[in-house]
């Protein structure tokens, strides 16, 4: 698989089979992903990988917690600014509308939306997951390094025939995750990522992308 194919076939998959992901594949991907760029090569990512019984136990506790209506943990970062303007707010709204329409969920059916959201904490059935942490003392530029690292991981997973789903939803149950993996106090959870083989029977339509002229300006002779 070449780079272009990896980029264009990568998407947030929300349905996985229970086929195990070989540990040697995960080690290969994460070893290569270490070459992702970061400012002054500080490599600010701290990654925890769960599979097997540890992941099954975490998923069970997280799903039960959310299903019981326990309050979510407050995120330690702002996911979306409260005054987000167009075109960003428009794109976000369009994504939500398309996703729930594909699931057959009506706009006002909050119970159905919550049931759909709970899939996040089951990793959508994936047999492997990683959790990405960052040192609390680092800044905005280092958060951008996390994005480059995680994208590198996702593209390498595609090269191995795997799919993924990056999930900031895990930050809403960050204390449950911390109970499972015991990270040092100075680390903050950014996101989780489900990893596995796609269940094509649960495939949803891909979300679109803005046309090139909306996001790119060419300045030439």
């Amino acid at each position: 698989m070449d780079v272009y194919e990896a980029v264009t076939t990568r998407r947030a998959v929300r349905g996985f089979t229970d086929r195990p992901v070989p540990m040697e594949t995960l080690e290969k991907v994460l070893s290569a992903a270490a070459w992702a760029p970061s400012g002054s090569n500080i490599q600010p990512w701290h990654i925890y990988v769960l599979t097997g019984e540890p992941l099954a136990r975490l998923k069970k506790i997280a799903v039960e917690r959310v299903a019981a209506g326990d309050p979510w943990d407050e995120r330690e970062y702002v996911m979306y600014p409260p005054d987000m303007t167009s075109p960003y707010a428009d794109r976000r709204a369009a994504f939500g509308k398309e996703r729930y329409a594909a699931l057959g969920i009506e706009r006002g059916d909050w119970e159905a939306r919550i049931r759909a959201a709970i899939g996040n904490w089951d990793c959508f059935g994936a047999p492997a997951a990683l959790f990405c942490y960052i040192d609390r003392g680092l800044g905005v530029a280092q958060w951008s390094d996390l994005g480059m690292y995680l994208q590198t991981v996702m593209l390498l997973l595609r090269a191995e025939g795997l799919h993924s789903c990056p999930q900031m939803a895990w930050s809403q149950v960050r204390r449950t995750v911390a109970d499972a993996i015991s990270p040092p106090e100075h680390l903050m959870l950014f996101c989780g990522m489900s990893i596995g083989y796609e269940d094509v029977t649960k495939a949803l339509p891909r979300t679109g992308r803005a046309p090139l002229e909306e996001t790119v300006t060419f300045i030439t002779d």
Side-chain angles (χ1 to χ4, degrees):
M1 182 181 296
D2 67 20
V3 175
Y4 283 91
E5 184 179 357
V7 170
T8 56
T9 61
R10 186 221 61 81
R11 63 188 187 283
V13 165
R14 293 180 172 86
F16 295 88
T17 71
D18 60 2
R19 176 183 171 188
V21 178
M23 184 57 63
E24 55 268 28
T25 301
L26 294 173
E27 291 175 351
K28 177 183 178 183
V29 164
L30 295 173
S31 294
W35 291 98
S38 60
S40 297
N41 194 35
I42 67 171
Q43 305 167 65
W45 44 83
H46 296 262
I47 305 300
Y48 295 81
V49 179
L50 274 69
T51 63
E53 179 56 30
L55 179 59
R57 185 164 56 249
L58 172 59
K59 292 196 290 187
K60 181 177 185 295
I61 294 171
V63 167
E64 289 177 349
R65 174 184 169 182
V66 175
D70 289 352
W72 287 343
D73 298 329
E74 183 179 356
R75 280 194 176 99
E76 295 186 273
Y77 60 89
V78 176
M79 183 170 176
Y80 301 111
D83 55 352
M84 190 163 57
T85 59
S86 180
Y88 318 111
D90 300 335
R91 292 171 186 162
R92 182 187 178 194
F95 164 74
K97 182 178 180 181
E98 290 171 7
R99 183 187 174 201
Y100 289 118
L103 293 171
I105 298 174
E106 297 292 335
R107 179 180 177 83
D109 192 344
W110 292 107
E111 289 188 3
R113 289 188 174 215
I114 291 172
R115 286 196 299 272
I118 284 176
N120 276 287
W121 298 288
D122 186 47
C123 294
F124 301 107
L130 68 76
F131 296 89
C132 180
Y133 283 77
I134 188 170
D135 194 298
R136 298 175 192 279
L138 296 179
V140 174
Q142 287 74 59
W143 285 76
S144 72
D145 293 338
L146 293 189
M148 290 188 284
Y149 172 82
L150 293 169
Q151 172 75 339
T152 301
V153 170
M154 290 185 284
L155 296 182
L156 290 167
L157 289 169
R158 288 300 303 123
E160 296 294 333
L162 292 156
H163 275 285
S164 60
C165 184
Q167 300 159 273
M168 285 185 281
W170 280 101
S171 65
Q172 295 173 293
V173 292
R174 58 185 175 82
R175 291 189 174 91
T176 299
V177 178
D179 288 342
I181 64 179
S182 300
E185 284 293 326
H186 66 276
L187 296 184
M188 177 194 308
L189 178 62
F190 171 48
C191 72
M193 181 188 295
S194 298
I195 298 169
Y197 296 93
E198 181 182 15
D199 182 349
V200 296
T201 67
K202 298 180 180 178
L204 297 174
R206 290 198 71 181
T207 54
R209 293 296 186 267
L212 193 66
E213 59 269 20
E214 281 190 23
T215 60
V216 178
T217 300
F218 292 98
I219 301 174
T220 63
D221 293 338

